[in-house]
Amino acid sequence: MGKFNVLQHDLVPEHHLVRKEDEDKILKELEITKELLPKIGRNDPTVKALEEIHGPLELGRMIKIIRKSPTMGYTVYYRVISGEVFK
């Protein structure tokens, strides 16, 4: 049996690695600092899947999440990769 890519599952929203060059621009638009963004754990299955695509990801890198909603259309969220263990 082959490896399962969680990013291809219908219930998992799109996850994209934000280019380092774009991080400051996004933070400026949101009027927020990176420290105040929600965290996503390094061991999250979506982060592991992104690492399969992009190679090892550094702590502090930003992830863009695009969720489809029947009422809102598309909504964009950002998370920062953290080494913390979330339960």
Side-chain angles (χ1 to χ4, degrees):
M1 184 171 175
K3 253 183 148 177
F4 176 72
N5 185 346
V6 70
L7 296 176
Q8 295 176 346
H9 194 283
D10 291 339
L11 297 177
V12 177
E14 292 180 41
H15 285 64
H16 303 278
L17 182 64
V18 175
R19 294 180 345 167
K20 284 185 178 183
E21 305 85 50
D22 296 335
E23 288 182 359
D24 288 335
K25 179 183 171 201
I26 292 167
L27 292 170
K28 192 172 194 174
E29 286 175 9
L30 296 174
E31 297 181 357
I32 194 169
T33 62
K34 194 183 273 192
E35 293 77 27
L36 295 176
L37 284 175
K39 310 294 186 262
I40 186 168
R42 166 173 238 125
N43 291 325
D44 188 284
T46 56
V47 174
K48 293 288 186 190
L50 286 172
E51 285 185 324
E52 290 287 326
I53 298 167
H54 300 284
L57 300 177
E58 306 161 8
L59 297 179
R61 290 294 304 270
M62 285 176 56
I63 305 291
K64 178 180 182 178
I65 302 169
I66 303 171
R67 293 187 178 138
K68 297 176 190 170
S69 166
T71 55
M72 294 292 295
Y74 292 93
T75 52
V76 177
Y77 298 85
Y78 293 96
R79 300 284 183 268
V80 175
I81 299 174
S82 171
E84 297 176 45
V85 176
F86 301 104
K87 295 182 181 182

